[in-house]
Amino acid sequence: MYKNKAWKWVFTSVLMAGLLVTGCSTGKEQATASKPAGNEAQSAPKTLIIARQSDANNLDPHFISAINAASVVQHKVYEGLIQRNESMEFKPMLATEWKQLDNVTWEFKLRQDVKFHDGTPFNAQAVKATIGRVLDEKVGSPRATQFKMIKEVKVIDDYTVQFKLDYPYSPLLSILANHEGSIISPKAIERYGKDLSKHPVGTGPFVFESWTPGQEIVLVKNDNYWGQKAKVDKAVFKVVPEDTTRIAMVETGEAHIAEPLPVTEIDRVKSSAQIDLYRSEGLGTEFVGFNTKKKPFDDVRVRQAISYAIETDAIIQGVFNQVGTKANSAMSPKVLGYSEKLQGYAFDPNEAKALLKEAGYPNGFKTTIWTGDRKERINMAEVIQSQLKGIGIDVQVKVLEYGAYLDAEDNGETDMFISGWGNATGDGDYNQYNLFHSSSLGKGGNTTFYVNAAVDQLIEEARREQDPEKRKDIYARALEIESSEAPMVPLRNLENVAAVGKNVKGFWISPSGYMMINDVTIE
């Protein structure tokens, strides 16, 4: 989900995501303090410091709603049955192989001799317990909708498990490879319950050590990891809200990675002798959303008017310096279901004014646009404020700390808002079901509170369809309706951008937005 929010990144992606972390010695200090003599220097403990703008709001895979939070634990503390590589191909993880026995039955062979960080054996019962938890109504996971088609998790033997579905569900593998599909220690589920966010226990190459809210999250190397062990001894996700400070920390060696990197700092990074600029294509999008429950945004003509009044090209050029590309929908081009034929709204202030007049607002109205505290999004909000003034809409910009912003968005407190959705799976269902289905309102991802029975039906039809080309056709029809009804204004397809110290090797960000640090070395 992430929001980026999903992002929530979507945010949401993608929103401005961040992590908590506190008092830990920096990589530079650690190297100085523990530097042994002679050949022993090669075995000196290595701590990877990642400076991020904001804290995680949750570390429970069944409650995480933002990619920045998921990125702390996914592929580090937690692992799923399968994973995606850099090309988004499915690869074995805790499952060594799998096959579809029929339209509603999937079988997975599990890896043996794997243990959770608390010593509990990984087996078919652990898979059953994890899926049982996310579907448990008493737990109340907003991610339950991603798994509700699972009728039964059948234990065949200790290392064979079958998923019996109520209906064919094409995106199943993509969900299992996402952070929602993380397999959790059954002992931790029983012991911590809803406090699992503070005590993540998985099978991954890093073990959770501590979380100091607003400061840092600390992970340590899992010396008993079943696979290739991490190359650093510790990873610290440090919360550093000030953009220039994060970059300076990498320049001075106090941190090794600064993420996310504001576009305003790209030239500084390019010219630095100490830092490399990391860029890669992401799967997420950014958009302006409307709370369709509130007046005047319950009127489609108002939403369409604003869609005509926002000059997206100017925002991508002026705010983002051409980082990312113009979006025509909530799906980015590499997501299954994307339609290049979809036409967005051209910049047409006159048409916007005519629609406002028709809706009963000939002189415009006053409203608020909400955003998290990421610099680019604040700048974007101010540009949109200026653009909408041209059609008589008086916009106040309201900036909240990222976590508070996500809560406001989830709870329907916003009016207009700037958000994003990081498609963590690469499948259109992750966009459509979360962002537009009526069962995903609020915390589920649909923070525009958009409801359309025809769209619901198309989304459900697409997730059941087994033929990829037919699925694309179904999504194209849904996207056309969504564009016409305009619950959001798509703005930008995201890029992953980070500042990385030149002494750091092996770091990358997956298309889904997860930071990959298992192979990182510090020279």
Side-chain angles (χ1 to χ4, degrees):
M1 116 247 126
Y2 283 78
K3 285 175 207 172
N4 248 47
K5 197 182 176 181
W7 82 321
K8 216 176 186 183
W9 183 246
V10 117
F11 160 79
T12 65
S13 112
V14 55
L15 275 169
M16 184 109 292
L19 300 141
L20 312 126
V21 193
T22 123
C24 211
S25 51
T26 65
K28 185 175 180 181
E29 292 168 343
Q30 188 117 358
T32 302
S34 59
K35 181 178 180 181
N39 293 334
E40 294 179 5
Q42 295 300 316
S43 61
K46 292 294 180 78
T47 297
L48 177 69
I49 307 292
I50 303 169
R52 307 194 77 191
Q53 187 199 29
S54 15
D55 200 353
N57 63 340
N58 204 302
L59 296 181
D60 184 334
H62 295 162
F63 287 85
I64 288 174
S65 61
I67 289 293
N68 74 294
S71 192
V72 179
V73 290
Q74 176 72 342
H75 301 303
K76 303 167 191 67
V77 175
Y78 285 117
E79 297 174 315
L81 296 179
I82 57 178
Q83 61 179 328
R84 296 247 203 191
N85 63 13
E86 291 182 70
S87 301
M88 296 299 287
E89 299 166 323
F90 293 116
K91 298 294 182 182
M93 179 55 82
L94 292 177
T96 57
E97 58 183 282
W98 56 89
K99 58 185 175 181
Q100 188 171 8
L101 302 182
D102 56 47
N103 282 346
V104 293
T105 308
W106 290 79
E107 182 173 277
F108 297 84
K109 295 291 185 180
L110 307 181
R111 196 174 297 278
Q112 301 184 28
D113 300 321
V114 175
K115 289 189 176 182
F116 290 96
H117 301 152
D118 59 7
T120 304
F122 164 73
N123 53 29
Q125 289 292 346
V127 177
K128 184 179 178 71
T130 295
I131 302 301
R133 177 183 188 259
V134 73
L135 291 174
D136 187 346
E137 293 182 0
K138 294 179 181 178
V139 172
S141 167
R143 306 270 66 82
T145 56
Q146 305 299 325
F147 298 90
K148 70 177 186 179
M149 75 298 303
I150 299 176
K151 178 171 61 176
E152 179 188 5
V153 178
K154 187 176 181 180
V155 174
I156 305 302
D157 58 44
D158 282 350
Y159 299 104
T160 307
V161 65
Q162 290 181 357
F163 286 20
K164 301 281 191 177
L165 311 182
D166 278 323
Y167 53 83
Y169 182 61
S170 292
L172 180 65
L173 294 182
S174 70
I175 294 297
L176 295 178
N178 193 37
H179 63 266
E180 285 104 331
S182 298
I183 305 300
I184 305 169
S185 164
K187 182 178 178 180
I189 290 174
E190 183 177 351
R191 179 178 180 183
Y192 298 117
K194 290 189 176 182
D195 284 335
L196 190 68
S197 177
K198 302 173 185 176
H199 308 277
V201 183
T203 58
F206 287 91
V207 178
F208 173 79
E209 181 175 272
S210 64
W211 181 5
T212 306
Q215 297 182 45
E216 69 181 15
I217 297 171
V218 181
L219 310 179
V220 296
K221 178 180 179 179
N222 179 8
D223 289 324
N224 298 313
Y225 183 54
W226 60 266
Q228 181 176 311
K229 295 177 176 57
K231 295 177 172 61
V232 296
D233 299 285
K234 183 180 289 190
V236 180
F237 299 84
K238 190 173 290 291
V239 178
V240 184
E242 176 54 47
D243 294 333
T244 56
T245 302
R246 292 198 303 277
I247 309 304
M249 289 174 68
V250 180
E251 287 180 321
T252 61
E254 291 182 79
H256 302 99
I257 298 165
E259 190 277 339
L261 176 67
V263 295
T264 53
E265 301 297 321
I266 285 179
D267 289 340
R268 173 182 174 182
V269 170
K270 284 182 176 179
S271 63
S272 173
Q274 292 80 33
I275 310 177
D276 285 327
L277 174 65
Y278 176 89
R279 292 177 73 166
S280 65
E281 187 175 0
L283 300 178
T285 57
E286 278 182 307
F287 54 84
V288 173
F290 304 107
N291 188 335
T292 60
K293 293 193 307 180
K294 288 187 175 181
K295 290 185 177 297
F297 305 116
D298 59 344
D299 190 321
V300 66
R301 295 168 295 185
V302 171
R303 304 195 299 266
Q304 290 171 338
I306 293 174
S307 299
Y308 279 117
I310 292 178
E311 191 174 4
T312 307
D313 290 330
I315 292 172
I316 293 175
Q317 173 63 48
V319 176
F320 292 101
N321 194 24
Q322 299 294 1
V323 174
T325 57
K326 184 175 181 178
N328 68 354
S329 70
M331 288 194 201
S332 64
K334 287 199 170 183
V335 174
L336 190 154
Y338 172 78
S339 174
E340 61 184 12
K341 298 178 181 179
L342 185 68
Q343 297 296 314
Y345 287 76
F347 178 60
D348 190 340
N350 290 329
E351 180 65 18
K353 291 177 182 178
L355 283 165
L356 283 182
K357 182 177 181 181
E358 183 181 327
Y361 301 96
N363 300 315
F365 54 86
K366 291 184 178 182
T367 190
T368 302
I369 188 166
W370 299 53
T371 182
D373 53 0
R374 182 176 178 177
K375 182 179 292 185
E376 292 101 324
R377 290 195 172 175
I378 296 171
N379 292 345
M380 182 167 27
E382 291 172 347
V383 170
I384 291 171
Q385 178 188 49
S386 175
Q387 292 178 347
L388 296 188
K389 187 175 182 180
I391 61 169
I393 299 178
D394 183 0
V395 179
Q396 175 189 354
V397 176
K398 184 167 186 173
V399 181
L400 297 179
E401 180 275 329
Y402 183 63
Y405 167 77
L406 289 183
D407 290 340
E409 191 180 1
D410 287 344
N411 295 331
E413 299 171 23
T414 59
D415 303 286
M416 292 174 61
F417 58 93
I418 294 176
S419 189
W421 188 261
N423 187 313
T425 68
D427 192 284
D429 185 70
Y430 201 76
N431 284 85
Q432 292 293 294
Y433 202 90
N434 287 287
L435 289 176
F436 299 105
H437 198 279
S438 61
S439 66
S440 300
L441 302 180
K443 291 183 183 297
N446 183 348
T447 52
T448 63
F449 294 86
Y450 173 71
V451 176
N452 182 298
V455 169
D456 280 359
Q457 184 175 347
L458 288 168
I459 293 171
E460 290 163 11
E461 183 181 346
R463 53 177 17 196
R464 295 168 189 252
E465 176 57 58
Q466 302 288 292
D467 186 319
E469 293 305 315
K470 290 181 179 179
R471 291 187 74 210
K472 291 178 185 178
D473 290 340
I474 295 167
Y475 283 133
R477 287 150 54 196
L479 292 173
E480 287 285 356
I481 297 172
E482 292 157 8
S483 180
S484 174
E485 297 206 331
M488 61 175 62
V489 184
L491 297 175
R492 184 174 73 113
N493 300 311
L494 296 174
E495 272 190 70
N496 300 314
V497 188
V500 183
K502 289 186 180 293
N503 62 334
V504 175
K505 307 300 178 186
F507 170 81
W508 58 288
I509 301 176
S510 74
S512 301
Y514 302 128
M515 290 191 298
M516 308 300 280
I517 64 171
N518 298 351
D519 294 325
V520 165
T521 58
I522 304 170
E523 298 177 350

